[in-house]
Amino acid sequence: MRNTFLELESKPIGTEEFCFVGINYCSADYLLGVEKAADKVRELSFRYANADGSSLPFKVYSPEEGYILKDTTAYDLGNVCASSLEELETNLSKLIFQTGCIPVFVGGDHSVTYELAKRMAVDNEEFVVLQFDAHSDFIDEYEEYPHGSVMNETCKIPQVSKIIHFGIRGNLNCESAISKSREKGNMVIPYVEIPNRFNNLLEYLKDKKLYITFDTDFLNPIYAPATNCLEPGGPSYEDTLKYLKEIIKSCDEIIGMDFVEYNPTCEGAVFTGTTIVNLIMEAMSYVTIKKKSYLTT
Ligand SMILES: [Mn+2]
């Protein structure tokens, strides 16, 4: 057993298309547990790994889609550990990704996305950040609440041309934060408006390079309870897959993804983690289908 995501190799063998990266960081005591997310995701991914001990090609099969990852390759480079955001920045700066290899970052509270987006800005001139999240995370107090203001900071990165807050809902939101983000020219798509605005979003994404940040609380907590800022209601797993698929299919290119705010010390950890494992595999599959262009348009 390799203790890697889907029992992947921990070093690239050729020119792998995806790289799994654990982010072991938690910005506040009241969020503790999120720094353990990547290892729990690896553990729960074991049941989807090849039974014969091989790592590639993937043999993940679904009755709906067939072998969903058969044409792609990936490796797991391990965890980036940090006890401060400065340390995270330093450690991320040491990572080298092969050209065309898409990083899939897993773990941490949402504050890490600012550092991840800065790391993506090293290799990408201009990109849009699409945030699957129940909350805008656009308050002002970065020093005090970095996970609640992470999009406000990310918005200041020169290479980030726009933030899209996708699916916000519920009573933990902040009116001034959402207004401020709109004033900055960002796109706010509340959950209730998705049906009416989804096609316009897909049209907008057509020529955009895209970084996806996925906050676990985007999902209805029935599907993903193990997260720190639960918000009742919201999209099902199937709805979420549909959104992910169409967004990935419609944009020009996916440059990276993160899956944050999973807390394996909360109730429902196995269920939530299994959901995240599957979201990651499906997202990798959609990107692969797009790149190999055997998806009909
Ligand atoms: Mn968030």
Side-chain angles (χ1 to χ4, degrees):
M1 194 168 157
R2 293 190 191 90
N3 294 322
T4 54
F5 184 65
L6 294 173
E7 300 286 286
L8 286 162
E9 301 295 334
S10 53
K11 286 193 173 65
I13 297 168
T15 49
E16 272 71 8
E17 295 181 293
F18 296 95
C19 174
F20 184 100
V21 188
I23 303 294
N24 293 9
Y25 178 72
C26 179
S27 70
D29 286 348
Y30 60 90
L31 302 173
L32 271 174
V34 292
E35 74 286 359
K36 298 176 176 151
D39 284 340
K40 190 69 181 175
V41 165
R42 287 186 180 99
E43 179 194 321
L44 294 170
S45 75
F46 176 65
R47 69 176 72 174
Y48 303 95
N50 293 348
D52 60 7
S54 63
S55 56
L56 294 171
F58 291 108
K59 294 168 192 158
V60 180
Y61 180 79
S62 88
E64 298 88 0
E65 309 260 352
Y67 285 99
I68 65 167
L69 294 170
K70 65 179 170 27
D71 292 327
T72 194
T73 51
Y75 72 103
D76 179 342
L77 73 59
N79 292 327
V80 176
C81 303
S83 55
S84 68
L85 285 168
E86 294 73 30
E87 193 184 354
L88 181 60
E89 180 178 25
T90 304
N91 293 344
L92 286 169
S93 73
K94 295 173 190 161
L95 297 186
I96 297 164
F97 300 113
Q98 294 170 306
T99 308
C101 183
I102 298 168
V104 179
F105 302 105
V106 176
D109 61 83
H110 219 153
S111 66
V112 305
T113 296
Y114 174 49
E115 302 301 336
L116 300 176
K118 279 195 290 188
R119 178 61 188 83
M120 298 311 298
V122 173
D123 303 318
N124 295 279
E125 274 175 23
E126 186 177 310
F127 58 99
V128 168
V129 175
L130 191 143
Q131 173 202 18
F132 286 81
D133 202 325
H135 315 106
S136 69
D137 296 349
F138 213 89
I139 60 172
D140 270 324
E141 295 86 355
Y142 187 62
E143 297 299 323
E144 207 174 343
Y145 300 109
H147 67 108
S149 49
V150 63
M151 288 301 135
N152 196 344
E153 294 306 304
T154 303
C155 184
K156 296 171 189 167
I157 300 170
Q159 290 86 347
V160 174
S161 60
K162 197 184 283 289
I163 307 278
I164 300 171
H165 306 281
F166 184 74
I168 60 171
R169 68 181 194 280
N171 296 326
L172 279 171
N173 271 289
C174 172
E175 191 275 333
S176 59
I178 295 170
S179 301
K180 187 177 170 188
S181 188
R182 279 205 181 97
E183 281 164 27
K184 300 262 180 195
N186 293 323
M187 199 185 291
V188 181
I189 305 182
Y191 174 58
V192 292
E193 293 180 20
I194 293 176
N196 288 334
R197 297 180 57 188
F198 198 53
N199 285 342
N200 284 347
L201 169 65
L202 298 181
E203 185 64 27
Y204 171 79
L205 292 175
K206 257 167 63 178
D207 55 353
K208 305 294 187 300
K209 290 191 191 308
L210 195 62
Y211 179 84
I212 289 176
T213 177
F214 193 100
D215 187 321
T216 305
D217 65 36
F218 172 80
L219 279 155
N220 189 316
I222 287 171
Y223 299 87
T227 186
N228 287 319
C229 299
L230 292 172
E231 207 65 77
S236 68
Y237 176 68
E238 289 84 354
D239 287 340
T240 304
L241 286 185
K242 189 180 78 186
Y243 301 144
L244 258 180
K245 185 176 198 170
E246 293 299 320
I247 284 166
I248 290 172
K249 180 178 155 188
S250 298
C251 72
D252 179 48
E253 185 189 340
I254 295 291
I255 61 163
M257 296 185 258
D258 69 51
F259 294 81
V260 296
E261 297 282 350
Y262 165 45
N263 189 336
T265 67
C266 291
E267 202 174 330
V270 171
F271 185 33
T272 307
T274 302
T275 299
I276 291 170
V277 169
N278 281 277
L279 282 175
I280 294 169
M281 295 194 301
E282 295 284 350
M284 286 168 61
S285 164
Y286 303 149
V287 173
T288 304
I289 289 168
K290 177 186 181 63
K291 282 168 76 175
K292 316 282 176 186
S293 58
Y294 43 64
L295 199 68
T296 50
T297 48

